[in-house]
Amino acid sequence: LKETFHWTVAKMCEEEGAKSEVAVSKEFVYCLTELAFQWSGRFAKDLEAFATHAGRKVVRPDDVLLLVRNNESAKDSLLSFMELRGISLKPKSSKNRRRKKRVIMEAADEEDVDDVEEGKDSKPVVLCSVPDSDDDVGS
């Protein structure tokens, strides 16, 4: 993977050097490759963390926008690229998507309740989440 990455960076440097008539040394290409490879590794970890934090296993375009949020130029380029390709920020709905049901139960004893919220009848209610299916219990 790293060799292919290096080859791609070298090719890009060669093309840009030819356009601007600037010679690019092998040492420069090596240093640029190392820097870009390290950055891409860090970006991958950050993107994975963003997706995990959102409760997903898949990185989405909005995660990438979050990654470049402080770099206006990169963000603008990314948004333009997404617009040209017809990439939407809204997630596509999935039939197999697991959802948690929100269950509201009257609280029998406030001491046993962590999250108590006032209901319409001014009676305390417990808000909790339960899994859709029995196979999620205990995981």
Side-chain angles (χ1 to χ4, degrees):
L1 176 68
K2 199 168 185 179
E3 288 178 16
T4 303
F5 193 82
H6 177 73
W7 182 85
T8 304
V9 170
K11 193 74 170 166
M12 291 171 69
C13 287
E14 183 181 302
E15 290 172 4
E16 290 300 315
K19 285 181 190 176
S20 61
E21 299 179 3
V22 174
V24 179
S25 70
K26 289 181 181 182
E27 292 82 10
F28 171 79
V29 172
Y30 177 77
C31 289
L32 184 60
T33 300
E34 284 298 314
L35 178 64
F37 197 78
Q38 288 175 9
W39 275 0
S40 64
R42 180 66 193 159
F43 289 167
K45 288 178 184 177
D46 287 347
L47 290 169
E48 181 182 14
F50 295 155
T52 302
H53 180 72
R56 294 182 270 108
K57 293 183 179 180
V58 176
V59 173
R60 294 192 180 148
D62 53 329
D63 297 322
V64 181
L65 285 172
L66 183 60
L67 181 70
V68 298
R69 68 190 176 278
N70 295 323
N71 185 334
E72 288 298 319
S73 175
K75 188 167 85 174
D76 292 343
S77 294
L78 185 58
L79 287 170
S80 296
F81 176 82
M82 290 169 59
E83 186 177 319
L84 286 172
R85 301 290 192 275
I87 299 171
S88 172
L89 288 176
K90 295 181 182 178
K92 296 179 181 177
S93 62
S94 172
K95 293 179 184 177
N96 297 330
R97 191 179 204 179
R98 290 185 177 180
R99 295 181 182 257
K100 292 184 177 181
K101 297 177 185 176
R102 192 171 191 197
V103 177
I104 301 175
M105 304 163 57
E106 286 190 22
D109 186 3
E110 285 186 27
E111 294 177 58
D112 297 333
V113 179
D114 292 331
D115 296 320
V116 176
E117 186 174 292
E118 292 296 313
K120 291 181 181 177
D121 301 329
S122 296
K123 295 179 184 176
V125 293
V126 178
L127 300 179
C128 62
S129 297
V130 294
D132 273 344
S133 61
D134 293 334
D135 57 2
D136 284 338
V137 177
S139 39

